[in-house]
Coordinates of all heavy atoms in Angstrom, one line a residue:
G459 N 1.7 -2.8 -37.7 CA 1.7 -3.4 -36.4 C 3.1 -3.2 -35.6 O 3.0 -3.5 -34.4
A460 N 4.0 -3.0 -36.4 CA 5.4 -2.9 -35.6 C 5.4 -1.8 -34.7 O 4.8 -0.7 -34.8 CB 6.5 -2.7 -36.7
A461 N 6.2 -2.0 -33.5 CA 6.3 -1.0 -32.5 C 7.8 -0.8 -32.2 O 8.4 -1.7 -31.6 CB 5.6 -1.5 -31.2
P462 N 8.3 0.3 -32.5 CA 7.7 1.4 -33.3 C 7.5 1.1 -34.9 O 8.3 0.3 -35.3 CB 8.6 2.6 -33.1 CG 9.9 2.0 -33.0 CD 9.7 0.7 -32.2
P463 N 6.7 1.8 -35.6 CA 6.5 1.4 -37.0 C 7.6 2.1 -37.9 O 7.3 2.9 -38.8 CB 5.2 2.1 -37.3 CG 5.0 3.2 -36.4 CD 5.7 2.7 -35.1
V513 N -5.3 -3.4 -30.3 CA -4.0 -3.1 -30.2 C -3.1 -4.3 -30.4 O -3.3 -5.4 -29.8 CB -3.6 -2.6 -28.7 CG1 -2.1 -2.1 -28.6 CG2 -4.5 -1.3 -28.4
P514 N -2.2 -4.3 -31.3 CA -1.3 -5.4 -31.6 C -0.6 -5.8 -30.3 O -0.2 -5.0 -29.5 CB -0.3 -5.0 -32.6 CG -1.0 -3.8 -33.4 CD -1.9 -3.2 -32.3
S515 N -0.3 -7.1 -30.1 CA 0.2 -7.6 -28.8 C 1.5 -6.9 -28.5 O 1.8 -6.5 -27.3 CB 0.4 -9.1 -28.8 OG 1.2 -9.5 -29.9
E516 N 2.4 -6.6 -29.5 CA 3.6 -6.1 -29.3 C 3.6 -4.6 -28.8 O 4.3 -4.1 -28.1 CB 4.6 -6.1 -30.5 CG 4.1 -5.4 -31.7 CD 3.2 -6.3 -32.6 OE1 2.5 -7.2 -32.1 OE2 3.2 -6.1 -33.8
V517 N 2.4 -3.9 -29.3 CA 2.2 -2.5 -28.8 C 1.8 -2.5 -27.5 O 2.3 -1.7 -26.7 CB 1.2 -1.9 -29.8 CG1 0.8 -0.4 -29.3 CG2 1.6 -1.8 -31.2
A518 N 0.8 -3.2 -27.1 CA 0.4 -3.4 -25.6 C 1.5 -3.7 -24.7 O 1.6 -3.2 -23.6 CB -0.9 -4.3 -25.6
G519 N 2.3 -4.7 -25.2 CA 3.4 -5.2 -24.3 C 4.5 -4.2 -24.1 O 5.3 -4.3 -23.2
A520 N 4.5 -3.2 -24.9 CA 5.6 -2.1 -24.8 C 5.1 -1.1 -23.7 O 5.9 -0.2 -23.4 CB 5.8 -1.4 -26.1
R521 N 3.9 -1.1 -23.2 CA 3.5 -0.1 -22.2 C 3.5 -0.6 -20.8 O 3.6 -1.7 -20.5 CB 2.0 0.2 -22.5 CG 1.6 0.5 -23.9 CD 2.5 1.6 -24.5 NE 2.2 1.9 -25.9 CZ 2.9 2.5 -26.8 NH1 4.1 2.9 -26.4 NH2 2.5 2.6 -28.0
G522 N 3.8 0.4 -19.9 CA 3.7 0.0 -18.5 C 2.3 -0.1 -18.0 O 1.3 0.2 -18.8
D523 N 2.1 -0.6 -16.8 CA 0.7 -0.8 -16.3 C -0.1 0.5 -16.2 O -1.3 0.4 -16.1 CB 0.8 -1.5 -15.0 CG 1.3 -2.9 -15.1 OD1 1.3 -3.5 -16.2 OD2 1.8 -3.5 -14.0
D524 N 0.6 1.6 -16.1 CA 0.0 2.9 -15.9 C -0.6 3.5 -17.2 O -1.1 4.5 -17.2 CB 0.9 3.9 -15.2 CG 2.1 4.2 -16.1 OD1 2.5 3.4 -16.9 OD2 2.7 5.3 -15.9
F525 N -0.4 2.9 -18.3 CA -0.8 3.3 -19.6 C -1.9 2.4 -20.2 O -1.7 1.3 -20.5 CB 0.3 3.3 -20.6 CG 0.1 4.3 -21.8 CD1 0.5 5.6 -21.8 CD2 -0.6 3.8 -22.9 CE1 0.3 6.4 -22.9 CE2 -0.8 4.6 -24.0 CZ -0.4 5.9 -23.9
E526 N -3.2 3.0 -20.1 CA -4.3 2.1 -20.6 C -4.3 1.7 -22.0 O -3.6 2.3 -22.8 CB -5.6 3.0 -20.3 CG -5.9 4.0 -21.3 CD -5.2 5.3 -21.0 OE1 -4.2 5.3 -20.2 OE2 -5.5 6.3 -21.7
A527 N -4.8 0.5 -22.2 CA -4.6 -0.1 -23.5 C -5.2 0.8 -24.6 O -4.6 0.9 -25.7 CB -5.4 -1.5 -23.6
G529 N -5.4 4.0 -24.7 CA -4.4 5.1 -24.9 C -3.2 4.6 -25.6 O -2.7 5.3 -26.5
A530 N -2.8 3.4 -25.4 CA -1.7 2.8 -26.1 C -2.1 2.7 -27.6 O -1.2 3.0 -28.5 CB -1.3 1.5 -25.6
C531 N -3.3 2.4 -27.9 CA -3.6 2.1 -29.4 C -3.7 3.5 -30.0 O -3.2 3.7 -31.2 CB -5.0 1.5 -29.4 SG -5.6 1.2 -31.0
A533 N -1.9 6.2 -29.3 CA -0.5 6.7 -29.5 C 0.2 5.9 -30.6 O 0.8 6.5 -31.5 CB 0.3 6.3 -28.2
H534 N -0.1 4.6 -30.8 CA 0.5 3.9 -31.9 C 0.0 4.2 -33.2 O 0.6 4.4 -34.2 CB 0.3 2.4 -31.6 CG 1.1 1.5 -32.6 ND1 0.5 0.9 -33.7 CD2 2.5 1.3 -32.7 CE1 1.4 0.3 -34.4 NE2 2.6 0.5 -33.8
S537 N 1.6 7.3 -34.2 CA 2.9 7.1 -34.7 C 3.0 6.5 -36.1 O 3.9 6.9 -36.9 CB 3.5 6.1 -33.8 OG 3.8 6.6 -32.5
R576 N 1.0 12.8 -24.1 CA 2.1 12.0 -23.8 C 2.8 11.4 -25.0 O 4.1 11.3 -25.0 CB 1.6 10.8 -22.8 CG 1.1 11.2 -21.5 CD 0.2 10.3 -20.8 NE 0.9 9.2 -20.3 CZ 0.3 8.2 -19.5 NH1 -1.0 8.4 -19.3 NH2 0.9 7.3 -19.0
G580 N 6.6 12.9 -26.4 CA 7.7 12.0 -26.5 C 7.8 11.1 -25.3 O 8.8 10.3 -25.1
Q581 N 6.8 11.1 -24.4 CA 6.8 10.3 -23.2 C 6.5 8.8 -23.6 O 6.9 7.9 -22.9 CB 5.8 10.8 -22.2 CG 6.1 12.1 -21.6 CD 5.0 12.6 -20.6 OE1 4.3 11.8 -20.1 NE2 4.9 13.9 -20.5
V582 N 5.9 8.7 -24.6 CA 5.5 7.3 -25.2 C 5.8 7.3 -26.6 O 5.3 8.2 -27.3 CB 4.0 7.0 -25.0 CG1 3.7 5.6 -25.5 CG2 3.6 7.1 -23.6
T583 N 6.6 6.4 -27.1 CA 6.9 6.3 -28.5 C 6.0 5.2 -29.1 O 5.6 4.3 -28.4 CB 8.4 6.0 -28.8 OG1 8.8 4.7 -28.1 CG2 9.3 7.0 -28.2
G584 N 5.8 5.3 -30.4 CA 4.9 4.4 -31.1 C 5.7 3.3 -31.6 O 5.0 2.4 -32.2

Side-chain angles (χ1 to χ4, degrees):
V513 183
S515 57
E516 63 270 30
V517 174
R521 313 300 181 203
D523 293 338
D524 62 337
F525 198 94
E526 74 279 11
C531 184
H534 187 258
S537 294
R576 289 157 77 175
Q581 298 176 21
V582 180
T583 58

